[in-house]
Amino acid sequence: MKFLSLQPFVPSGSDFERSKQLFSALGFNISFETPGYAGFEKDGCRFILQHYDVPDFAQNFMITVGVENASEFRSEMIEKKLPERFGIRIGEVTQQPYGKEVNIIDIAGVCWHFVE
C-alpha cells in the first residue's frame, strides 16, 4: 500500500484566530475552515490547525518542514517582524546532521523545524 500524504493536526493554543493569522503570515494558505479547524497548505505541505489548548502537549510537539534556504527563510520572517507581531521565538540557523535548520516556537509552543 502506497502512502499518499501526511497531515498532522497541530494545536493552536488558546488563541485560534491569532494562530491562523500567524500561519498565514508564515506563507501558508487556508484551504478550508470548519468550527475549530483550519486546513493550511503551501507548496504541497499541509497541516490542520486544531483549536486545542493543552500546553504540555504543544510544548512536546515538533514538526519538520523542508525549505530551499534556511537563512533566507529566517530573514524573511524577521523582516515581517513575526516575533514582535505574534510573540513567537525564531532561533538562529544551525547546522544539524540532517541539514541547516531554523526553529520557530509558535503561539501554542509547538516547535517547527524549517530545514534546508
Side-chain angles (χ1 to χ4, degrees):
M1 176 63 65
K2 180 179 177 181
F3 290 4
L4 300 176
S5 67
L6 178 68
Q7 293 187 53
F9 282 74
V10 176
S12 68
S14 63
D15 195 337
F16 183 65
E17 291 302 317
R18 191 157 170 80
S19 286
K20 288 189 333 189
Q21 293 170 6
L22 167 64
F23 291 111
S24 292
L26 280 169
F28 288 96
N29 298 307
I30 294 177
S31 58
F32 73 85
E33 288 188 74
T34 62
Y37 299 93
F40 282 88
E41 63 183 326
K42 178 174 174 50
D43 303 324
C45 295
R46 294 181 178 94
F47 69 95
I48 299 168
L49 186 68
Q50 180 180 8
H51 190 191
Y52 185 70
D53 185 24
V54 177
D56 285 342
F57 174 76
Q59 293 168 6
N60 286 286
F61 190 60
M62 294 186 271
I63 297 177
T64 298
V65 180
V67 293
E68 290 180 329
N69 186 307
S71 295
E72 286 180 20
F73 174 79
R74 183 182 188 280
S75 294
E76 185 179 323
M77 298 307 109
I78 297 297
E79 287 173 15
K80 290 181 178 183
K81 300 185 184 298
L82 296 188
E84 295 86 354
R85 290 172 51 201
F86 295 100
I88 64 170
R89 291 180 286 166
I90 299 179
E92 298 295 327
V93 175
T94 60
Q95 182 65 52
Q96 300 297 332
Y98 44 83
K100 291 181 184 177
E101 80 171 12
V102 59
N103 294 330
I104 292 179
I105 308 298
D106 74 12
I107 292 169
V110 174
C111 183
W112 293 75
H113 299 259
F114 290 87
V115 179
E116 177 183 325

